[in-house]
Amino acid sequence: MVWYVTGSVVATAVHLVLPVSVQPTWYFLVALGAAAPIGLALRQTAPADKLPGRLLLLAQLVLSAGNLAAVLDAAGGGTEHGPAELLITLGHVCALGSALTIVRRRGRNDIGGLVDATLFAMAVGGVLWTTMIQPRLAAGGIPVGRQVTVLVNILVLTGILGALVRLLVTAREPLPALRRYIYALVLSLTGNVALALSKGFLTADRPVWVQMTFLLTYTCLGAAALDPSIQTLLRPGPAPVDRLTRGRLAFLGAALAVTPILGGGRQLLGLPVDGLLLVGSTVAVVPLVMVRIGVLNAERARALRALTHQATHDGLTGLPNRTELMNRLRSALRGDTRVVLLFCDLDGFKAINDRLGHLAGDELLVQVAERLAGCRGTGDTLARYGGDEFVMVCGESAAEATIRRAMSRPFTVCGEQVAVGASVGVVAARRGTDAEALLRQADAAMYAAKRARSIVGTREGVDRS
């Protein structure tokens, strides 16, 4: 990396003393040189992690194409800056896509934080635009089309910067590559603002110091790509918790309110209303706000599902718990089909649990649950009733024999083979049978089977249909 940074800085210094006629070509070549380290880093990246690097390389190539268009325009003595401006804008958009991809992969569940940071950064860019840049452009007679290009670039660059700063703040490990990426964006934003204030264009008649600022931007991008931490940056990272606290909510509300307040304030003061900012910020902000709302809604739904599952399922085996069993049993008894209830109690489990320990007992219960789950038919319910008791709600009693065969095979716990049996009480009922009464009958049938030292005991339930 040292050789690249040294060479790039020397090339930037050389640019300062070159003849004016040579500077555009030299600028293009030095800027294009940043594509090499980015491409090298991309070759060393795992296929699944290449997308951010590809977008960054594409951004670099499109920006270089914009620089080339500016060179050709200058060589022809023309004043048509449109193609170069458009290419540079597209390059910034590609860079934004790369940054968003990196942040999404690194943050994963931090999309809300990304949106908040981007909105705030764009609000800062809007303030910069309406207080400093737009008045200068309007006073200079810059066409509206050119003003739109400058505004888009300012909003895109500030949005990228906000997203990456958020990523740096939430990082749990040093990421020098990310810091250099941020330095590059700060330099690029500085150069673009300076150009907009002095010239009104992003490509025409750049002062030498602005050109050097942009060349240092490319140097930082290349240095970021050559740092070993770039591979960590391109990989999915930890998932920070997205807490929309009151402070963050106020922060987000202030960012959203900036543009309308500025627009209204200008009108109250008798100044021209900045229609470009109002339209541009609306186009940029509304989709981000919708994404933010969608993220919050998805998180709420995910939390609700998690809480519901926790309340209705056993934490050890993942099977429905007693509460969910009763709900499903009552629902089944309201139907027209025959309901068979199998109440299973393990034989010999206590001895194994006492001898091998509770952890081994838990492991055995998980294996039993998995094996019993294989005995279910379509639409059947297997639940853990408590301790070493399991209950199955099904439409036929054939599962009884299946359970007997399943439990006849030994289990392997802590490297030791152990055997447990099952006493099974079976009752049948139809529509209208009381769920609690049916469960008590199944429990009694199970204890009868256990007293008789039988694998299966059967007792018909009362048909109240």
Side-chain angles (χ1 to χ4, degrees), residues 378-434:
T378 303
D380 294 349
T381 294
L382 174 67
R384 185 185 179 196
Y385 192 72
D388 59 349
E389 297 175 331
F390 298 84
V391 175
M392 184 180 295
V393 181
C394 53
E396 49 152 346
S397 59
E400 170 189 329
T402 306
I403 292 175
R404 182 188 304 151
R405 288 192 299 270
M407 297 301 295
S408 65
R409 302 191 306 272
F411 296 86
T412 301
V413 178
C414 297
E416 179 179 335
Q417 283 199 337
V418 297
V420 291
S423 296
V424 183
V426 182
V427 294
R430 291 190 180 275
R431 181 175 183 176
T433 303
D434 181 72

Side-chain angles (χ1 to χ4, degrees), residues 225-284:
L226 290 174
D227 191 272
S229 65
I230 190 66
Q231 301 302 325
T232 303
L233 182 61
L234 296 179
R235 289 195 297 267
V241 179
D242 182 20
R243 296 187 178 92
L244 191 59
T245 61
R246 291 182 179 179
R248 276 185 63 183
L249 191 59
F251 186 74
L252 181 59
L256 294 174
V258 165
T259 298
I261 289 175
L262 287 174
R266 289 176 63 90
Q267 187 173 25
L268 291 174
L269 294 174
L271 299 174
V273 176
D274 189 355
L276 283 181
L277 179 61
L278 292 175
V279 173
S281 62
T282 300
V283 170

Side-chain angles (χ1 to χ4, degrees), residues 20-213:
V20 175
S21 60
V22 180
Q23 283 182 350
T25 303
W26 184 258
Y27 179 92
F28 163 71
L29 293 175
V30 175
L32 184 61
I38 297 174
L40 179 62
L42 190 59
R43 290 185 59 185
Q44 299 172 351
T45 304
D49 302 329
K50 285 184 179 293
L51 180 58
R54 286 172 176 166
L55 288 173
L56 182 58
L57 180 60
L58 178 61
Q60 179 62 33
L61 294 176
V62 172
L63 289 170
S64 297
N67 293 329
L68 179 60
V71 170
L72 296 176
D73 183 63
T79 57
E80 290 295 329
H81 312 302
E85 299 258 340
L86 177 60
L87 286 170
I88 288 179
T89 299
L90 291 176
H92 289 161
V93 171
C94 291
L96 175 62
S98 174
L100 292 179
T101 305
I102 290 173
V103 174
R104 182 173 182 178
R105 289 168 62 82
R106 287 292 302 168
R108 293 191 295 182
N109 291 341
D110 196 33
I111 302 300
L114 164 63
V115 172
D116 295 348
T118 303
L119 286 172
F120 177 77
M122 285 185 170
V124 173
V127 172
L128 186 65
W129 164 265
T130 198
T131 58
M132 297 177 59
I133 301 174
Q134 196 276 337
R136 293 289 295 271
L137 297 181
I142 303 300
V144 174
R146 303 293 189 216
Q147 293 187 37
V148 170
T149 302
V150 175
L151 175 61
V152 170
N153 277 275
I154 297 300
L155 292 180
V156 167
L157 285 173
T158 53
I160 295 173
L161 189 58
L164 291 183
V165 168
R166 168 68 182 182
L167 179 59
L168 183 64
V169 170
T170 58
R172 301 178 185 177
E173 54 192 326
L175 292 172
L178 179 57
R179 289 186 178 275
R180 289 164 188 157
Y181 199 167
I182 292 175
Y183 296 155
L185 288 175
V186 171
L187 288 169
S188 179
L189 182 60
T190 301
N192 278 282
V193 171
L195 272 179
L197 290 174
S198 60
K199 302 293 181 180
F201 296 95
L202 300 181
T203 57
D205 303 326
R206 293 173 173 175
V208 174
W209 72 269
V210 173
Q211 295 181 36
M212 295 184 69
T213 299

Side-chain angles (χ1 to χ4, degrees), residues 285-416:
V285 167
V286 169
L288 290 174
V289 172
M290 296 303 293
V291 169
R292 190 67 173 104
I293 294 173
V295 169
L296 289 174
N297 184 65
E299 290 177 351
R300 179 180 178 277
R302 184 164 52 249
L304 182 59
R305 287 195 300 270
L307 288 173
T308 301
H309 188 274
Q310 184 178 3
T312 59
H313 287 71
D314 175 54
L316 177 64
T317 63
L319 296 176
N321 59 17
R322 184 182 304 189
T323 301
E324 180 66 8
L325 166 68
M326 298 307 297
N327 290 334
R328 297 189 186 186
L329 180 58
R330 293 188 186 99
S331 178
L333 291 172
R334 286 194 294 267
D336 296 327
T337 59
R338 183 169 179 260
V339 176
V340 176
L341 190 66
L342 295 90
F343 198 116
C344 308
D345 182 84
L346 301 184
D347 297 326
F349 172 79
K350 184 176 184 304
I352 296 172
N353 189 65
D354 292 344
R355 182 167 61 88
L356 299 180
H358 293 294
L359 292 179
D362 288 346
E363 182 182 346
L364 178 57
L365 287 174
V366 171
Q367 293 186 36
V368 168
E370 292 174 351
R371 194 170 293 185
L372 291 178
C375 303
R376 289 178 300 187
T378 303
D380 294 349
T381 294
L382 174 67
R384 185 185 179 196
Y385 192 72
D388 59 349
E389 297 175 331
F390 298 84
V391 175
M392 184 180 295
V393 181
C394 53
E396 49 152 346
S397 59
E400 170 189 329
T402 306
I403 292 175
R404 182 188 304 151
R405 288 192 299 270
M407 297 301 295
S408 65
R409 302 191 306 272
F411 296 86
T412 301
V413 178
C414 297
E416 179 179 335

Side-chain angles (χ1 to χ4, degrees), residues 8-26:
S8 185
V9 170
V10 169
T12 301
V14 170
H15 178 80
L16 183 64
V17 298
L18 288 175
V20 175
S21 60
V22 180
Q23 283 182 350
T25 303
W26 184 258

